[in-house]
């Protein structure tokens, strides 16, 4: 079982990589395919939208089929096939189609791990274990920065994608062989309910908005706009962008591990999440106010956005405390639908915000300021609504 869970975590490493590797490829994809930052923004957004849309069938499949088959087949065919299409791309829309396939393929791996944790361990440690899974999986976030830049320079971007397709297929096969589904309850199949049951629970209503916006700034900046921003404003090349995004990726990993046990240390999930997300919003607003502050200051602010914005597993644990046991799979997938769906919508529309601001002002700095405001304001709104949530640790 442990070897199977390790393979799920390996699949999540790939998921983190595929959502974060586009920024360091911006220069070569612009040169080879004529892919603009706006086109790559839509590609990144489509990854998240496809990922989010899959949470409805994935939630059903986890409860009815189990995580083994759900994760293995989708990862192998979707993410592996998407990497192949990416390697063969000759037009920007091919990149967008490949990212859709990758989003579909990556959609079940983290929820499969969360499903097993929820079914196997005490709810009190769900946040800690979920944070550890995301923290370990975020190695993929780091791999998508400086190591990816090195691989593209050393081997070429197409060759790198071919290698990733093989690696993805190998991980999918190992999940199918090594993972074991958790035992089903005796009354499995007789208890009724769906995602609509969960949507009707008032205890979750104040949690949904923050889950929708929490991950958008760090994912949007790390996974998409950091590259163009550092290139346009500071003239940095792929290696320099890789170093800055590496720092942000490490901060996100530290944040995931740090958030996990804080609910038990302080005896509250709600206030840990509130304070942390306020810190993330403050970093984004500082970037908006001071966008040309220098590479070192920008690196620290991007890292702070990632560090304080890493409360995803703790928000998931907060919501998990209200799920009926027989709807665990659909519950974690529903929360993931809000979290990743929010990222997808923000990333997809961020290209329009950037282009509109750039056309209106003619200054790329003004366009990036508009982006920072676009990512920062919704977090403040989500925090206001979250104030009305009910704290719960069981």
């Amino acid at each position: 079982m442990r070897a199977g869970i390790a393979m799920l975590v390996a699949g999540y490493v790939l998921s983190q990589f595929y959502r974060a590797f586009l920024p360091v490829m911006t220069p070569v994809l612009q040169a080879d395919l004529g892919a603009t930052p706006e086109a790559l923004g839509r590609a990144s957004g489509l990854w998240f939208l496809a990922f989010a849309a899959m949470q409805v069938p994935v939630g059903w499949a986890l409860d009815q089929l189990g995580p083994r088959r759900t994760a293995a087949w989708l990862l192998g065919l979707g993410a592996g096939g998407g990497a192949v299409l990416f390697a063969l791309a000759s037009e920007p829309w091919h990149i967008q189609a490949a990212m859709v396939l990758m989003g579909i393929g990556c959609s079940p791996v983290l929820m499969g791990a969360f499903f097993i944790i929820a079914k196997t361990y005490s709810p009190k440690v769900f946040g800690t274990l979920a944070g550890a899974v995301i923290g370990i999986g975020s190695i993929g976030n780091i791999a998508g920065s400086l190591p990816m830049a090195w691989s593209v320079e050393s081997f070429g971007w197409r060759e790198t994608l071919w290698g990733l397709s093989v690696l993805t297929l190998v991980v999918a096969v190992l999940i199918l062989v090594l993972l074991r589904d958790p035992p089903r309850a005796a009354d499995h199949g007789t208890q009724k309910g769906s995602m609509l049951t969960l949507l009707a629970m008032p205890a979750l209503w104040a949690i949904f908005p923050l889950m929708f916006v929490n991950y958008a700034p760090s994912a949007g900046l790390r996974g998409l706009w950091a590259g163009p921003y550092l290139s346009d404003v500071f003239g940095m090349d792929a290696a320099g962008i890789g170093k800055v995004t590496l720092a942000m990726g490490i901060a996100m990993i530290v944040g995931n591990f740090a958030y996990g046990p804080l609910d038990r240390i302080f005896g509250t999930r709600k206030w840990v999440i509130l304070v942390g997300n306020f810190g993330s919003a403050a970093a984004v607003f500082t970037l908006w106010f001071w966008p040309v502050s220098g590479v070192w200051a920008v690196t620290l602010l991007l890292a702070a956005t990632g560090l304080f914005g890493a409360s995803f597993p703790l928000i998931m644990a907060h919501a998990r405390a209200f799920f009926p046991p027989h709807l665990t799979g659909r519950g974690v997938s529903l929360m993931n639908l809000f979290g990743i769906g929010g990222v997808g919508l923000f990333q997809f529309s961020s290209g329009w915000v950037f282009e509109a601001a750039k056309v209106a002002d003619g200054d790329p700095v003004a366009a990036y300021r508009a982006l920072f405001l676009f990512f920062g304001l919704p977090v403040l709104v989500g925090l206001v609504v979250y104030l009305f949530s009910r704290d719960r640790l069981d």
Side-chain angles (χ1 to χ4, degrees), residues 230 234 236 244 247 287 290 293-303:
L230 294 167
F234 299 101
M236 298 183 71
V244 176
L287 284 167
W290 204 17
S293 54
V295 173
W296 282 105
V298 164
T299 301
L300 290 173
L301 290 169
L302 289 172

Side-chain angles (χ1 to χ4, degrees), residues 94-135:
H94 296 161
I95 300 295
Q96 295 172 354
M99 293 298 283
V100 168
L101 281 175
M102 290 176 182
I104 291 171
C106 294
S107 62
V109 286
L110 179 61
M111 294 305 99
F114 281 6
F115 179 86
I116 293 172
I117 291 170
K119 290 290 188 180
T120 309
Y121 297 95
S122 165
K124 292 183 179 180
V125 299
F126 182 91
T128 299
L129 295 177
V133 170
I134 294 180

Side-chain angles (χ1 to χ4, degrees), residues 19-23 44 48 218-226 248 347:
R19 74 184 66 179
F21 75 120
L22 277 181
S44 183
F48 285 99
S218 54
L221 296 177
R222 168 64 189 87
L224 175 60
W225 290 107
M248 188 175 184
Q347 289 210 18

Side-chain angles (χ1 to χ4, degrees), residues 140-166:
N141 200 317
I142 291 179
S145 56
L146 193 59
M148 182 63 179
W150 172 83
S151 181
V152 169
E153 281 191 15
S154 300
F155 305 109
W157 66 270
R158 294 187 189 275
E159 291 77 7
T160 299
L161 265 297
W162 278 114
L164 286 166
S165 68
V166 172

Side-chain angles (χ1 to χ4, degrees), residues 68-94:
R68 183 178 71 92
R69 287 175 290 174
T70 302
W73 286 106
L74 282 175
L75 182 67
L77 296 176
V84 170
L85 179 57
F86 201 122
L88 296 171
S90 58
E91 299 287 343
W93 74 266
H94 296 161

Side-chain angles (χ1 to χ4, degrees), residues 229 233-234 283-298 301 365 369 372:
Y229 169 54
V233 177
F234 299 101
V284 176
F285 275 103
T286 305
L287 284 167
W288 165 73
F289 182 76
W290 204 17
V292 291
S293 54
V295 173
W296 282 105
V298 164
L301 290 169
V365 174
R369 289 191 69 190
F372 296 137

